[in-house]
C-alpha cells in the first residue's frame, strides 16, 4: 500500500472563511457551484454547518510559496445525517464489536448529493500530501473511518492506490439532447408516455396553477423568506427540523448571485409551492422544494417538468433533480452511477470490502434493469 509523506505547509482550517475567497476559488471549478467558497462559507456562516449540528470543519489546506496547492473540504462528523451515502449498518456493527464509530472524517458537500470533484489540487504530489494527513489520523485512531462522497472520478487513482474502497450508488438525471422545446422531448417518447406527460401537466394547469421564475439577482430577501416556508414545510411534515437556516439562502443569493433559480407555483392570488435550483456551467441542479397545500401532480410539475423546460431554455445539458426517486425513470430521467470512497479501521475495513463487492454488482444490475423503464421511443 502506498504511504503518504507529510510536509509542514499542511494546515487544518476550522472554517472556510479562514481562507480568502479568491485563493479558494482559484482551485475550485467555476462551473460547479457546490465547491465555490461562497456556497460552503454560506453553510457555515449561517449556522447550518457547525459543531453544534454535528459538522465540525477540519478542512485541509496545503500552501507553498504563499499559494494554495490543494484544498479538501472536510468535516469531523458525529453522526451520518445529511450525507446520502448510508453507513448506519457499518456504525452499528462496529459499535456492537465494542468500538466507537463516531467521530469520522467526511469529505463531502453537506446536504448535497451532487457529483463533482472533492479534492482540489494543482498536481498529484499536493493531493497525496493532503490524503496523507487523513491516513495519519486513521492510523492514530483519531477517527474510525474516512469517507469521500459523490466524487466525479478525478481522485479515483489516488484513492485506489491508497487502499480506499469504492461504493456505487444510482441516481436519475435528465439529459437535454439539444431539445428546442418540451414538445421536442415529448416527440422522443413513446405515444403512451407522451399522453401521460400531457395529462399530468394539464391536470396542474386545469387547477388554475401558474408558475413564476426568478433567476439570480432578481431574487430578493422577501423571495428567500417566502421560499423558506416551503422548504421548511417538507421537513416539519415529517417531524424533523430543517437542515438549513433561513440565513443560508440569503447568503447564497449574496455570494453566488448568478447561480440560484427559484420557481413559485401561484394559485388564486398566492404562492402555494416553491422550488430551488442551482445552475452550473452545463447542469441544472434541483435542490429543495415544498408546498403548503396538496394539489394533483404539483410535485412532478414543479420539480421535474418546470426544471426540464428551464434546462432547455438555458441550454444546459443535464438536469440533476436530486437523490433517489424511481418515479423519475418514467419521466425520462436516466440511471446514472454515482460513487463514494471509504477507508476504515482494520477489521471493519475488510468486512465492508466484502459487502461492497456484492453491493456493486447489485447496483450495476439495478441500473441496467432501470433502462427498460424509460419512456423513450423505440419501435412503435
Amino acid at each position: 500500500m502506498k504511504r503518504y509523506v507529510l510536509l509542514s505547509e499542511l494546515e487544518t482550517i476550522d472554517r472556510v472563511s479562514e481562507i480568502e475567497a479568491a485563493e479558494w476559488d482559484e482551485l475550485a471549478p467555476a462551473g460547479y457551484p457546490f465547491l465555490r467558497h461562497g456556497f460552503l462559507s454560506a453553510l457555515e456562516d449561517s449556522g447550518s454547518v457547525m459543531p453544534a449540528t454535528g459538522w465540525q470543519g477540519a478542512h485541509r489546506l496545503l500552501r507553498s510559496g504563499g499559494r494554495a496547492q490543494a484544498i479538501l473540504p472536510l468535516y469531523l462528523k458525529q453522526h451520518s445525517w445529511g450525507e446520502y451515502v448510508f453507513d448506519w449498518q457499518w456504525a452499528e456493527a462496529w459499535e456492537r464489536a465494542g468500538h466507537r464509530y463516531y467521530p469520522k472524517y467526511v469529505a463531502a458537500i453537506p446536504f448535497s448529493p451532487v457529483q463533482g470533484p472533492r479534492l482540489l489540487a494543482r498536481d498529484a504530489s499536493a493531493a497525496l500530501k493532503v490524503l496523507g494527513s487523513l491516513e495519519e489520523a486513521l492510523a492514530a485512531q483519531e477517527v474510525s473511518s474516512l469517507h469521500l462522497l459523490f466524487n466525479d472520478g478525478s481522485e479515483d487513482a489516488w484513492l485506489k492506490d491508497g487502499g480506499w474502497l469504492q461504493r456505487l450508488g444510482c441516481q436519475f438525471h435528465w439529459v437535454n439532447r439539444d431539445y428546442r422545446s418540451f414538445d421536442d422531448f415529448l416527440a422522443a417518447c413513446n405515444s403512451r408516455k407522451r399522453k401521460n406527460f400531457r395529462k399530468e401537466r394539464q391536470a396542474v394547469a386545469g387547477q388554475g396553477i401558474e408558475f413564476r421564475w426568478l433567476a439570480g439577482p432578481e431574487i430578493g430577501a422577501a423571495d428567500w423568506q417566502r421560499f423558506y416556508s416551503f422548504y421548511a414545510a417538507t421537513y416539519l411534515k415529517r417531524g424533523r427540523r430543517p437542515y438549513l437556516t433561513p440565513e443560508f439562502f440569503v447568503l447564497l443569493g449574496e455570494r453566488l448571485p448568478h447561480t440560484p433559480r427559484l420557481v413559485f407555483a401561484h394559485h388564486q392570488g398566492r404562492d402555494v409551492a416553491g422550488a430551488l435550483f442551482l445552475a452550473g456551467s452545463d447542469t441544472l441542479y434541483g435542490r429543495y422544494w415544498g408546498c403548503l397545500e396538496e394539489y394533483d401532480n404539483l410535485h412532478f410539475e414543479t420539480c421535474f417538468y418546470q426544471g426540464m423546460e428551464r434546462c432547455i431554455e438555458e441550454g444546459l445539458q443535464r438536469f440533476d433533480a436530486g437523490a433517489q426517486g424511481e418515479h423519475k425513470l418514467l419521466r425520462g430521467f436516466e440511471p446514472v452511477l454515482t460513487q463514494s470512497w471509504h477507508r476504515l479501521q482494520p477489521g471493519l475495513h475488510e468486512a465492508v470490502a466484502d459487502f461492497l463487492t456484492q453491493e456493486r454488482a447489485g447496483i450495476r444490475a439495478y441500473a441496467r434493469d432501470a433502462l427498460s423503464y424509460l419512456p423513450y421511443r423505440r419501435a412503435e
Side-chain angles (χ1 to χ4, degrees):
M1 181 180 301
K2 181 178 287 186
R3 306 302 299 178
Y4 303 113
V5 179
L6 302 185
L7 292 185
S8 58
E9 298 121 325
L10 187 65
E11 306 172 51
T12 298
I13 305 297
D14 292 338
R15 298 176 63 83
V16 171
S17 58
E18 294 180 37
I19 307 173
E20 291 292 332
E23 183 179 16
W24 183 291
D25 287 343
E26 186 182 355
L27 289 181
Y32 181 67
F34 301 95
L35 261 184
R36 303 297 285 178
H37 187 279
F39 185 89
L40 294 172
S41 65
L43 285 171
E44 294 179 351
D45 294 347
S46 67
S48 303
V49 168
M50 59 179 179
T53 62
W55 294 79
Q56 181 177 331
H59 315 303
R60 296 303 200 260
L61 168 65
L62 180 71
R63 278 196 178 107
S64 178
R67 189 183 186 201
Q69 302 299 312
I71 298 173
L72 177 67
L74 185 71
Y75 301 91
L76 188 68
K77 289 292 304 293
Q78 304 293 339
H79 55 63
S80 295
W81 295 106
E83 298 173 16
Y84 300 92
V85 176
F86 304 109
D87 62 349
W88 301 104
Q89 291 181 327
W90 304 356
E92 183 181 346
W94 195 233
E95 290 174 359
R96 274 203 315 265
H99 306 286
R100 290 182 58 194
Y101 191 74
Y102 303 105
K104 62 179 183 176
Y105 272 141
V106 177
I109 311 300
F111 321 123
S112 303
V114 290
Q115 296 179 95
R118 291 295 174 263
L119 174 51
L120 306 175
R122 296 189 186 278
D123 54 41
S125 174
L128 293 177
K129 289 166 189 171
V130 171
L131 289 175
S133 71
L134 307 188
E135 176 89 6
E136 279 205 342
L138 187 68
Q141 299 188 354
E142 296 172 16
V143 292
S144 72
S145 48
L146 313 171
H147 309 265
L148 188 142
L149 310 183
F150 293 104
N151 76 313
D152 62 1
S154 53
E155 306 91 350
D156 286 3
W158 304 325
L159 296 167
K160 187 175 181 181
D161 285 349
W164 293 55
L165 305 174
Q166 183 195 46
R167 187 176 196 183
L168 296 181
C170 186
Q171 293 182 352
F172 306 98
H173 298 177
W174 184 76
V175 178
N176 176 11
R177 294 186 168 84
D178 297 322
Y179 301 129
R180 293 165 298 175
S181 67
F182 193 81
D183 283 340
D184 278 359
F185 160 68
L186 292 179
C189 300
N190 64 53
S191 57
R192 183 169 63 87
K193 292 301 182 183
R194 280 198 299 271
K195 224 175 264 187
N196 287 344
F197 294 145
R198 290 189 175 115
K199 183 178 179 181
E200 286 184 348
R201 303 202 75 182
Q202 288 165 1
V204 175
Q207 296 171 85
I209 297 174
E210 299 177 338
F211 293 87
R212 180 172 65 98
W213 280 89
L214 296 171
E218 297 174 337
I219 304 171
D223 300 311
W224 286 121
Q225 184 177 9
R226 188 161 61 257
F227 169 72
Y228 192 80
S229 64
F230 299 122
Y231 163 74
T234 300
Y235 291 85
L236 296 174
K237 287 175 184 177
R238 301 170 185 163
R240 293 169 52 191
R241 293 180 60 186
Y243 284 136
L244 302 172
T245 65
E247 291 77 17
F248 165 74
F249 296 98
V250 175
L251 291 175
L252 175 67
E254 293 174 355
R255 296 178 184 183
L256 293 178
H258 299 289
T259 299
R261 309 286 187 268
L262 279 181
V263 63
F264 290 105
H266 200 69
H267 184 245
Q268 295 183 348
R270 61 198 177 89
D271 291 326
V272 296
L276 169 66
F277 304 77
L278 299 183
S281 58
D282 62 3
T283 302
L284 184 68
Y285 300 93
R287 301 313 311 131
Y288 307 107
W289 109 288
C291 64
L292 300 182
E293 299 175 23
E294 301 295 332
Y295 295 84
D296 288 344
N297 295 302
L298 182 59
H299 175 255
F300 298 144
E301 178 65 39
T302 308
C303 295
F304 301 154
Y305 301 140
Q306 288 291 315
M308 292 155 76
E309 285 193 327
R310 189 76 192 191
C311 212
I312 294 169
E313 180 181 333
E314 296 198 24
L316 300 172
Q317 299 169 5
R318 183 178 296 269
F319 177 25
D320 172 355
Q324 303 170 341
E326 292 180 334
H327 53 281
K328 296 172 188 169
L329 274 171
L330 301 179
R331 291 165 180 85
F333 288 74
E334 304 173 25
V336 173
L337 289 177
T338 62
Q339 65 174 1
S340 61
W341 290 84
H342 309 269
R343 183 92 166 82
L344 308 101
Q345 289 290 348
L348 181 59
H349 187 87
E350 290 75 18
V352 168
D354 291 340
F355 165 76
L356 292 180
T357 298
Q358 300 177 48
E359 187 188 54
R360 283 192 297 267
I363 292 293
R364 288 192 177 99
Y366 170 81
R368 287 193 299 269
D369 182 62
L371 292 170
S372 65
Y373 293 92
L374 289 170
Y376 297 107
R377 188 158 40 88
R378 297 181 180 87
E380 293 189 298

